[in-house]
Amino acid sequence: FGKYVISTGGIFLSGKFDQLQQGKPFSALASAFNQYCGILLQTCDLKLKLTHQVNHVMGREAYHLAKLIPNLALILGLEMRSNNVNHDEGCINAQKRLQYLLCKFVEVISNSFATPVTLFLDDLQWADPASIAAVNQLLLNGGPASQNKRFFFLGCYREGEINSNPLWGVIC
């Protein structure tokens, strides 16, 4: 499926949740976006375009997303230092900010390159609640930009292993 998406001009991002990484929020999402940014690092024109758009749309908030996506930090030329972290911020606020920034990043990618984005996540049965909430926000993200949204989500999970989490209702 990924080869088809790419051959038709789309962007294909893929990540896989790991049973041993359940405690690490956003692990598969970070992997998918980091892989994509790694590809962009090899193309100067695309890298510059993404840098401009991310800085324009996210401004200084891009730093928080770059902590999650190391190759984005390289694209933006950011130094990731632990002393820049705001230790007073609660975990829930940080997760909500990352969910918001992931949505903005998908919007930047799809609008900057006028290309549909397909996100494939495997082994969703091992996804952490923060990742599920982020995927739900990606799927339900409203507003004027959502009318032109070119985002497709494909997820796989093992039958019978999904928890009764109410967030699953949106994805399944």
mmCIF file of all heavy atoms in Angstrom, residues 21-49:
data_model
loop_
_atom_site.group_PDB
_atom_site.id
_atom_site.type_symbol
_atom_site.label_atom_id
_atom_site.label_comp_id
_atom_site.label_asym_id
_atom_site.label_seq_id
_atom_site.Cartn_x
_atom_site.Cartn_y
_atom_site.Cartn_z
ATOM 1 N N GLN A 21 7.468 -0.731 24.417
ATOM 2 C CA GLN A 21 7.519 0.737 24.416
ATOM 3 C C GLN A 21 6.197 1.361 24.856
ATOM 4 O O GLN A 21 5.981 2.546 24.635
ATOM 5 C CB GLN A 21 7.854 1.248 23.009
ATOM 6 C CG GLN A 21 9.219 0.886 22.502
ATOM 7 C CD GLN A 21 10.290 1.803 23.045
ATOM 8 O OE1 GLN A 21 10.053 2.961 23.326
ATOM 9 N NE2 GLN A 21 11.474 1.259 23.205
ATOM 10 N N GLN A 22 5.305 0.583 25.483
ATOM 11 C CA GLN A 22 3.987 1.095 25.838
ATOM 12 C C GLN A 22 4.049 2.313 26.744
ATOM 13 O O GLN A 22 3.185 3.163 26.696
ATOM 14 C CB GLN A 22 3.156 0.001 26.502
ATOM 15 C CG GLN A 22 2.674 -1.042 25.550
ATOM 16 C CD GLN A 22 1.825 -2.095 26.243
ATOM 17 O OE1 GLN A 22 1.397 -1.933 27.369
ATOM 18 N NE2 GLN A 22 1.580 -3.183 25.552
ATOM 19 N N GLY A 23 5.056 2.411 27.581
ATOM 20 C CA GLY A 23 5.164 3.539 28.494
ATOM 21 C C GLY A 23 5.754 4.782 27.864
ATOM 22 O O GLY A 23 5.817 5.825 28.492
ATOM 23 N N LYS A 24 6.194 4.696 26.631
ATOM 24 C CA LYS A 24 6.810 5.838 25.948
ATOM 25 C C LYS A 24 5.778 6.479 25.024
ATOM 26 O O LYS A 24 5.506 5.968 23.938
ATOM 27 C CB LYS A 24 8.034 5.379 25.159
ATOM 28 C CG LYS A 24 8.809 6.512 24.550
ATOM 29 C CD LYS A 24 10.055 6.009 23.858
ATOM 30 C CE LYS A 24 10.792 7.169 23.221
ATOM 31 N NZ LYS A 24 11.922 6.724 22.435
ATOM 32 N N PRO A 25 5.192 7.603 25.439
ATOM 33 C CA PRO A 25 4.156 8.234 24.621
ATOM 34 C C PRO A 25 4.651 8.625 23.237
ATOM 35 O O PRO A 25 5.797 9.039 23.068
ATOM 36 C CB PRO A 25 3.775 9.481 25.423
ATOM 37 C CG PRO A 25 4.236 9.210 26.811
ATOM 38 C CD PRO A 25 5.429 8.312 26.683
ATOM 39 N N PHE A 26 3.786 8.474 22.265
ATOM 40 C CA PHE A 26 4.003 8.910 20.883
ATOM 41 C C PHE A 26 5.125 8.162 20.158
ATOM 42 O O PHE A 26 5.616 8.633 19.136
ATOM 43 C CB PHE A 26 4.300 10.421 20.811
ATOM 44 C CG PHE A 26 3.310 11.291 21.513
ATOM 45 C CD1 PHE A 26 3.663 11.967 22.671
ATOM 46 C CD2 PHE A 26 2.032 11.443 21.028
ATOM 47 C CE1 PHE A 26 2.755 12.786 23.325
ATOM 48 C CE2 PHE A 26 1.110 12.262 21.662
ATOM 49 C CZ PHE A 26 1.475 12.929 22.820
ATOM 50 N N SER A 27 5.534 6.984 20.640
ATOM 51 C CA SER A 27 6.702 6.301 20.060
ATOM 52 C C SER A 27 6.535 6.004 18.572
ATOM 53 O O SER A 27 7.436 6.294 17.781
ATOM 54 C CB SER A 27 7.016 5.025 20.830
ATOM 55 O OG SER A 27 5.948 4.095 20.734
ATOM 56 N N ALA A 28 5.418 5.453 18.151
ATOM 57 C CA ALA A 28 5.232 5.114 16.736
ATOM 58 C C ALA A 28 5.033 6.370 15.884
ATOM 59 O O ALA A 28 5.527 6.437 14.753
ATOM 60 C CB ALA A 28 4.048 4.166 16.557
ATOM 61 N N LEU A 29 4.331 7.353 16.418
ATOM 62 C CA LEU A 29 4.151 8.608 15.689
ATOM 63 C C LEU A 29 5.490 9.314 15.505
ATOM 64 O O LEU A 29 5.812 9.784 14.413
ATOM 65 C CB LEU A 29 3.179 9.525 16.438
ATOM 66 C CG LEU A 29 1.731 9.056 16.464
ATOM 67 C CD1 LEU A 29 0.956 9.760 17.559
ATOM 68 C CD2 LEU A 29 1.081 9.286 15.122
ATOM 69 N N ALA A 30 6.281 9.365 16.572
ATOM 70 C CA ALA A 30 7.596 9.993 16.487
ATOM 71 C C ALA A 30 8.468 9.278 15.469
ATOM 72 O O ALA A 30 9.161 9.917 14.674
ATOM 73 C CB ALA A 30 8.268 9.993 17.862
ATOM 74 N N SER A 31 8.415 7.963 15.462
ATOM 75 C CA SER A 31 9.205 7.180 14.513
ATOM 76 C C SER A 31 8.798 7.482 13.075
ATOM 77 O O SER A 31 9.647 7.684 12.197
ATOM 78 C CB SER A 31 9.040 5.694 14.814
ATOM 79 O OG SER A 31 9.669 4.911 13.843
ATOM 80 N N ALA A 32 7.496 7.539 12.820
ATOM 81 C CA ALA A 32 6.994 7.804 11.463
ATOM 82 C C ALA A 32 7.414 9.190 10.980
ATOM 83 O O ALA A 32 7.927 9.345 9.864
ATOM 84 C CB ALA A 32 5.477 7.665 11.426
ATOM 85 N N PHE A 33 7.234 10.207 11.805
ATOM 86 C CA PHE A 33 7.576 11.571 11.403
ATOM 87 C C PHE A 33 9.088 11.772 11.346
ATOM 88 O O PHE A 33 9.581 12.525 10.508
ATOM 89 C CB PHE A 33 6.926 12.596 12.328
ATOM 90 C CG PHE A 33 5.437 12.674 12.149
ATOM 91 C CD1 PHE A 33 4.580 12.292 13.160
ATOM 92 C CD2 PHE A 33 4.896 13.119 10.956
ATOM 93 C CE1 PHE A 33 3.207 12.357 12.990
ATOM 94 C CE2 PHE A 33 3.522 13.194 10.772
ATOM 95 C CZ PHE A 33 2.678 12.812 11.799
ATOM 96 N N ASN A 34 9.815 11.096 12.222
ATOM 97 C CA ASN A 34 11.271 11.209 12.204
ATOM 98 C C ASN A 34 11.844 10.598 10.922
ATOM 99 O O ASN A 34 12.766 11.160 10.314
ATOM 100 C CB ASN A 34 11.875 10.544 13.441
ATOM 101 C CG ASN A 34 13.314 10.945 13.641
ATOM 102 O OD1 ASN A 34 13.638 12.123 13.673
ATOM 103 N ND2 ASN A 34 14.178 9.945 13.784
ATOM 104 N N GLN A 35 11.291 9.473 10.505
ATOM 105 C CA GLN A 35 11.725 8.829 9.264
ATOM 106 C C GLN A 35 11.474 9.762 8.073
ATOM 107 O O GLN A 35 12.331 9.929 7.210
ATOM 108 C CB GLN A 35 10.992 7.508 9.074
ATOM 109 C CG GLN A 35 11.378 6.758 7.837
ATOM 110 C CD GLN A 35 10.559 5.473 7.690
ATOM 111 O OE1 GLN A 35 9.551 5.264 8.353
ATOM 112 N NE2 GLN A 35 10.998 4.612 6.802
ATOM 113 N N TYR A 36 10.312 10.379 8.045
ATOM 114 C CA TYR A 36 9.974 11.308 6.964
ATOM 115 C C TYR A 36 10.934 12.505 6.947
ATOM 116 O O TYR A 36 11.441 12.901 5.891
ATOM 117 C CB TYR A 36 8.523 11.779 7.108
ATOM 118 C CG TYR A 36 8.130 12.779 6.058
ATOM 119 C CD1 TYR A 36 8.023 12.406 4.722
ATOM 120 C CD2 TYR A 36 7.883 14.098 6.392
ATOM 121 C CE1 TYR A 36 7.669 13.320 3.745
ATOM 122 C CE2 TYR A 36 7.524 15.018 5.429
ATOM 123 C CZ TYR A 36 7.426 14.629 4.102
ATOM 124 O OH TYR A 36 7.083 15.544 3.150
ATOM 125 N N CYS A 37 11.198 13.072 8.117
ATOM 126 C CA CYS A 37 12.115 14.209 8.197
ATOM 127 C C CYS A 37 13.525 13.802 7.786
ATOM 128 O O CYS A 37 14.259 14.604 7.200
ATOM 129 C CB CYS A 37 12.115 14.805 9.606
ATOM 130 S SG CYS A 37 10.608 15.715 9.988
ATOM 131 N N GLY A 38 13.906 12.565 8.073
ATOM 132 C CA GLY A 38 15.205 12.062 7.634
ATOM 133 C C GLY A 38 15.322 12.051 6.125
ATOM 134 O O GLY A 38 16.382 12.371 5.568
ATOM 135 N N ILE A 39 14.232 11.710 5.448
ATOM 136 C CA ILE A 39 14.210 11.732 3.982
ATOM 137 C C ILE A 39 14.335 13.171 3.476
ATOM 138 O O ILE A 39 15.073 13.449 2.535
ATOM 139 C CB ILE A 39 12.933 11.056 3.446
ATOM 140 C CG1 ILE A 39 12.960 9.559 3.769
ATOM 141 C CG2 ILE A 39 12.768 11.296 1.951
ATOM 142 C CD1 ILE A 39 11.637 8.854 3.560
ATOM 143 N N LEU A 40 13.629 14.094 4.139
ATOM 144 C CA LEU A 40 13.690 15.503 3.722
ATOM 145 C C LEU A 40 15.070 16.107 3.936
ATOM 146 O O LEU A 40 15.464 17.026 3.210
ATOM 147 C CB LEU A 40 12.650 16.326 4.478
ATOM 148 C CG LEU A 40 11.192 16.078 4.121
ATOM 149 C CD1 LEU A 40 10.290 17.000 4.925
ATOM 150 C CD2 LEU A 40 10.937 16.255 2.642
ATOM 151 N N LEU A 41 15.808 15.610 4.911
ATOM 152 C CA LEU A 41 17.160 16.115 5.161
ATOM 153 C C LEU A 41 18.069 15.934 3.953
ATOM 154 O O LEU A 41 19.033 16.666 3.776
ATOM 155 C CB LEU A 41 17.784 15.400 6.363
ATOM 156 C CG LEU A 41 17.441 15.968 7.730
ATOM 157 C CD1 LEU A 41 17.907 15.029 8.834
ATOM 158 C CD2 LEU A 41 18.044 17.351 7.912
ATOM 159 N N GLN A 42 17.752 14.964 3.111
ATOM 160 C CA GLN A 42 18.578 14.660 1.954
ATOM 161 C C GLN A 42 18.271 15.546 0.752
ATOM 162 O O GLN A 42 18.991 15.515 -0.241
ATOM 163 C CB GLN A 42 18.408 13.187 1.575
ATOM 164 C CG GLN A 42 18.817 12.248 2.684
ATOM 165 C CD GLN A 42 18.412 10.813 2.413
ATOM 166 O OE1 GLN A 42 18.034 10.461 1.303
ATOM 167 N NE2 GLN A 42 18.489 9.980 3.427
ATOM 168 N N THR A 43 17.192 16.325 0.828
ATOM 169 C CA THR A 43 16.783 17.170 -0.288
ATOM 170 C C THR A 43 16.739 18.618 0.178
ATOM 171 O O THR A 43 15.829 19.009 0.904
ATOM 172 C CB THR A 43 15.397 16.741 -0.820
ATOM 173 O OG1 THR A 43 15.397 15.335 -1.022
ATOM 174 C CG2 THR A 43 15.056 17.449 -2.100
ATOM 175 N N CYS A 44 17.681 19.398 -0.237
ATOM 176 C CA CYS A 44 17.857 20.764 0.240
ATOM 177 C C CYS A 44 16.613 21.640 0.015
ATOM 178 O O CYS A 44 16.182 22.346 0.909
ATOM 179 C CB CYS A 44 19.070 21.396 -0.417
ATOM 180 S SG CYS A 44 19.555 22.956 0.339
ATOM 181 N N ASP A 45 16.034 21.588 -1.182
ATOM 182 C CA ASP A 45 14.875 22.434 -1.494
ATOM 183 C C ASP A 45 13.690 22.107 -0.588
ATOM 184 O O ASP A 45 13.037 23.009 -0.075
ATOM 185 C CB ASP A 45 14.465 22.275 -2.956
ATOM 186 C CG ASP A 45 15.486 22.849 -3.917
ATOM 187 O OD1 ASP A 45 16.358 23.623 -3.473
ATOM 188 O OD2 ASP A 45 15.424 22.515 -5.113
ATOM 189 N N LEU A 46 13.403 20.817 -0.417
ATOM 190 C CA LEU A 46 12.278 20.413 0.430
ATOM 191 C C LEU A 46 12.546 20.764 1.889
ATOM 192 O O LEU A 46 11.643 21.178 2.613
ATOM 193 C CB LEU A 46 12.003 18.918 0.280
ATOM 194 C CG LEU A 46 11.576 18.437 -1.105
ATOM 195 C CD1 LEU A 46 11.386 16.936 -1.115
ATOM 196 C CD2 LEU A 46 10.315 19.151 -1.567
ATOM 197 N N LYS A 47 13.778 20.594 2.312
ATOM 198 C CA LYS A 47 14.170 20.912 3.684
ATOM 199 C C LYS A 47 13.953 22.392 3.967
ATOM 200 O O LYS A 47 13.383 22.764 4.995
ATOM 201 C CB LYS A 47 15.627 20.524 3.901
ATOM 202 C CG LYS A 47 16.141 20.766 5.291
ATOM 203 C CD LYS A 47 17.572 20.303 5.410
ATOM 204 C CE LYS A 47 18.455 21.502 5.498
ATOM 205 N NZ LYS A 47 19.838 21.234 5.782
ATOM 206 N N LEU A 48 14.370 23.256 3.036
ATOM 207 C CA LEU A 48 14.200 24.700 3.216
ATOM 208 C C LEU A 48 12.726 25.096 3.237
ATOM 209 O O LEU A 48 12.314 25.938 4.028
ATOM 210 C CB LEU A 48 14.937 25.461 2.123
ATOM 211 C CG LEU A 48 16.470 25.433 2.204
ATOM 212 C CD1 LEU A 48 17.080 26.090 0.976
ATOM 213 C CD2 LEU A 48 16.939 26.113 3.477
ATOM 214 N N LYS A 49 11.956 24.480 2.374
ATOM 215 C CA LYS A 49 10.524 24.775 2.325
ATOM 216 C C LYS A 49 9.848 24.363 3.633
ATOM 217 O O LYS A 49 9.049 25.114 4.191
ATOM 218 C CB LYS A 49 9.878 24.044 1.141
ATOM 219 C CG LYS A 49 8.444 24.433 0.909
ATOM 220 C CD LYS A 49 7.930 23.836 -0.388
ATOM 221 C CE LYS A 49 6.555 24.385 -0.690
ATOM 222 N NZ LYS A 49 6.054 23.933 -1.976
#
